[in-house]
């Protein structure tokens, strides 16, 4: 193989290159070990197919919740909401790291209280949307769509904690 392709933008680079000459991303070095990863099926727009959203609930323990990225650069990613407060944003220390310029560093928080969950905007520039309506704070129900920047996440609650 005489070329290395960037996993971020797909640009062809020289075999000896360590960084992509198009986007600057670090290039993966073949270590000789095989690694597999499974992604949820997506349509042409990059959105997870609705039939595959149901599979997100598999193995979700009672009284636990998670969000699944339905649309965005990392569609198919699952984030379990383990703490009392789960922070979403572009800051690397965010619990839900959404790396895109449309996302504020500290964009939104998902809060667990009284057996349920709510989402609140953390003073973001582009706003936080719940089911396509801009919100400051709102309760979350199973299947709600949360939009943070260009990312769309679907909220799922398992067991009796469902609303």
């Amino acid at each position: 193989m005489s070329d290395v392709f960037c996993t971020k933008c797909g640009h062809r680079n020289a075999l000896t290159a360590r960084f992509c000459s198009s986007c600057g991303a670090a290039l993966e070095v073949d270590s000789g070990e095989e690694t597999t990863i499974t992604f949820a099926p997506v349509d042409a727009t990059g959105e997870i197919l609705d039939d595959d959203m149901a599979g997100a609930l598999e193995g979700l323990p009672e009284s636990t919740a998670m969000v699944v990225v339905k649309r965005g650069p990392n569609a198919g990613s699952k984030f379990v909401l383990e703490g009392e407060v789960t922070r979403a944003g572009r800051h690397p220390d965010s619990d839900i790291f959404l790396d895109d310029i449309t996302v504020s560093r500290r964009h939104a928080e998902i809060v667990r209280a009284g057996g349920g969950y709510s989402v609140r905007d953390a003073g973001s520039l582009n706003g936080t949307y719940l089911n396509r309506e801009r919100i400051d704070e709102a309760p979350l129900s199973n299947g709600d769509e949360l939009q943070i920047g260009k990312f769309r996440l679907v909220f799922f609650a398992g067991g009796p904690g469902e609303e």
Side-chain angles (χ1 to χ4, degrees):
M1 181 168 148
S2 60
D3 295 320
V4 174
F5 291 91
C6 177
T7 57
K8 187 170 183 180
C9 71
H11 183 74
R12 181 186 307 238
N13 294 280
L15 182 62
T16 57
R18 296 183 58 204
F19 297 94
C20 178
S21 62
S22 178
C23 71
L27 296 173
E28 307 254 341
V29 179
D30 185 15
S31 64
E33 297 178 15
E34 286 190 37
T35 303
T36 59
I37 188 167
T38 304
F39 292 99
V42 295
D43 64 13
T45 65
E47 189 167 320
I48 294 178
L49 302 173
D50 287 334
D51 295 342
D52 296 300
M53 275 299 193
L57 286 172
E58 291 177 19
L60 187 62
E62 286 186 11
S63 303
T64 303
M66 73 175 176
V67 291
V68 178
V69 179
K70 181 177 181 181
R71 185 177 216 171
N74 52 346
S77 298
K78 299 175 185 178
F79 298 95
V80 177
L81 309 176
E82 295 175 329
E84 296 299 312
V85 177
T86 303
R87 291 174 178 82
R90 192 167 36 97
H91 192 281
D93 292 337
S94 297
D95 301 309
I96 301 174
F97 177 58
L98 303 172
D99 190 18
D100 188 77
I101 195 69
T102 61
V103 178
S104 296
R105 284 180 182 84
R106 289 173 176 47
H107 199 105
E109 297 175 335
I110 299 173
V111 181
R112 178 173 46 192
Y117 288 84
S118 63
V119 60
R120 67 177 167 223
D121 187 81
S124 67
L125 181 63
N126 292 328
T128 301
Y129 293 80
L130 182 62
N131 299 323
R132 301 181 193 250
E133 291 188 26
R134 190 169 182 158
I135 55 100
D136 288 324
E137 187 166 357
L140 286 168
S141 298
N142 215 1
D144 278 349
E145 183 178 85
L146 182 63
Q147 183 174 343
I148 298 175
K150 68 180 182 181
F151 292 86
R152 291 201 181 153
L153 304 98
V154 180
F155 174 80
F156 294 105
E162 291 181 7
E163 290 186 80

